[in-house]
Amino acid sequence: MPLLSVNAQNREIKLDYEDRPATAGWWKDNNQVKFSLDERKKNQYALSSEVCLHVRWDSIPAGRTNVWFTDLKIDSLANPVMDDVRRAFGSKLWLSFWCNAGNGDTLWVQPLLLTRGHKGKWGAKKRMPVSSSEWVFIKFNLAELEYAKWGTGPEMPNLTSDEIRCFEVGLLNGNSSSKGFIDARFDDVMISNYEPFARKEKKKK
């Protein structure tokens, strides 16, 4: 389950993978995409981190470019018991996370927004490449992005209401695949009602 942190002003819901979630039922485009929980200390982004998520796509077929091959979900706000929490977030919504591309090809990350039940779905037109084996901190101000409509509902999602209940990081491969595989790691996938910044505790080599 995601970790919910609330104080008088700031709210956040974070997936840090320390509780070692079962990944077997997570959606993926094909059976070559694998999830695992990496517990090796050298592969963590911070000294305090014990587990990160490893996403691997072996043997990308030739011609498969810009494929949305899986996503990382924060669906906890879809639960009706979270109605008051969702309203408290309002339209100030940031999506952030740490990630790296390991030894694989360039990975593209894209914010996705969904209504409860996933009938309404929008993909952000902005995508960001991740091409380094070094950990990088990525954040999106969801209220400032333009979106493409993928499901039912209006052309643009309405973040001023509480209709958007699910938030995802979509993962895509790039225009080319010289190495033929994706080898990505993620941690601290989070939505917040404030602008997050990289933690000063980032591990140094």
Side-chain angles (χ1 to χ4, degrees):
M1 292 292 292
L3 175 66
L4 172 65
S5 176
V6 180
N7 61 33
Q9 295 180 340
N10 294 343
R11 289 173 170 81
E12 63 186 40
I13 295 178
K14 181 185 295 183
L15 297 171
D16 62 7
Y17 304 108
E18 302 296 319
D19 59 352
R20 295 164 174 78
T23 64
W26 291 6
W27 177 81
K28 53 190 179 181
D29 172 72
N30 62 80
N31 288 331
Q32 290 294 316
V33 178
K34 307 291 184 183
F35 302 103
S36 62
L37 299 175
D38 191 336
E39 300 180 352
R40 291 172 290 183
K41 201 64 181 177
K42 67 176 183 178
N43 289 340
Q44 309 306 313
Y45 86 90
L47 292 172
S48 62
S49 178
E50 297 181 0
V51 182
C52 63
L53 178 68
H54 184 204
V55 182
R56 176 91 179 194
W57 181 8
D58 278 318
S59 305
I60 301 174
R64 294 211 74 188
T65 62
N66 297 304
V67 174
W68 174 33
F69 63 90
T70 193
D71 51 53
L72 310 180
K73 295 178 170 60
I74 300 179
D75 281 2
S76 56
L77 287 174
N79 192 318
V81 302
M82 299 291 281
D83 286 354
D84 290 341
V85 175
R86 174 63 185 95
R87 280 190 287 272
F89 270 82
S91 60
K92 296 179 180 179
L93 287 161
W94 289 79
L95 174 66
S96 62
F97 48 91
W98 286 90
C99 65
N100 69 55
N103 297 313
D105 289 312
T106 295
L107 171 78
W108 289 81
V109 294
Q110 174 187 30
L112 310 177
L113 306 180
L114 303 94
T115 59
R116 185 155 38 200
H118 293 191
K119 290 185 178 180
K121 181 183 292 187
W122 298 265
K125 294 182 179 180
K126 181 176 182 179
R127 300 170 178 174
M128 292 188 65
V130 181
S131 57
S132 173
S133 61
E134 298 293 322
W135 283 94
V136 294
F137 183 69
I138 292 178
K139 59 184 176 183
F140 297 94
N141 184 343
L142 299 180
E144 293 184 350
L145 300 180
E146 294 184 4
Y147 296 89
K149 177 183 175 182
W150 293 355
T152 61
E155 292 300 318
M156 291 290 289
N158 181 10
L159 291 177
T160 61
S161 76
D162 62 356
E163 67 174 337
I164 305 301
R165 292 305 187 106
C166 305
F167 306 84
E168 301 179 358
V169 182
L171 310 186
L172 304 93
N173 67 314
N175 291 321
S176 61
S177 183
S178 59
K179 298 179 180 178
F181 64 95
I182 296 291
D183 181 41
R185 286 173 177 80
F186 292 85
D187 209 350
D188 286 1
V189 180
M190 181 175 78
I191 57 169
S192 61
N193 69 342
Y194 62 90
E195 181 178 1
F197 294 93
R199 284 164 44 180
K200 293 181 180 179
E201 195 237 356
K202 183 174 180 290
K203 185 175 70 172
K204 300 186 184 301
K205 292 187 175 181

